[in-house]
Amino acid sequence: MRAECLLCFTTRQVADEGCDDTLRWVELFRELRSPTATGLEKRVGACDCATLARWTLARHLLVRDVRTDELEPPPEAPRCAGVGATSTRPCANWDRVRVTR
């Protein structure tokens, strides 16, 4: 496994293998990188894609579509900004999605 954060790993795995409505990739990440993070699955979401839906790429990594003037993810995922070896936190590439009420 590359030296990448939970979200970069999960994004790459979901893009390659898909989401099966479980936390398959989150659990694999925890088993390989941070086995003592036993509460990880309880705090991330119902499945891998639900976990990713809570986060967005940081604004400085988005690219502007010249036709629509909208910011979009780049065609290729950026390299992970890195975190500590056993960290389950996202790297600096990610911002939490703000929920407005």
Side-chain angles (χ1 to χ4, degrees), residues 25-100:
W25 305 119
V26 169
E27 290 171 356
L28 179 61
F29 181 89
R30 183 185 51 77
E31 289 170 12
L32 296 173
R33 294 281 302 273
S34 192
T36 60
T38 56
L40 177 63
E41 289 88 342
K42 290 179 184 171
R43 66 181 166 90
V44 295
C47 67
D48 294 317
C49 55
T51 299
L52 296 175
R54 294 178 174 193
W55 297 86
T56 186
L57 274 177
R59 186 176 175 88
H60 71 277
L61 295 171
L62 300 175
V63 294
R64 188 166 304 279
D65 183 319
V66 294
R67 294 179 308 268
T68 65
D69 202 37
E70 295 290 322
L71 291 175
E72 299 177 345
E76 289 189 31
R79 183 179 175 104
C80 183
V83 292
T86 61
S87 177
T88 59
R89 293 181 181 262
C91 71
N93 291 353
W94 299 96
D95 288 330
R96 188 120 173 128
V97 171
R98 297 181 191 261
V99 177
T100 55

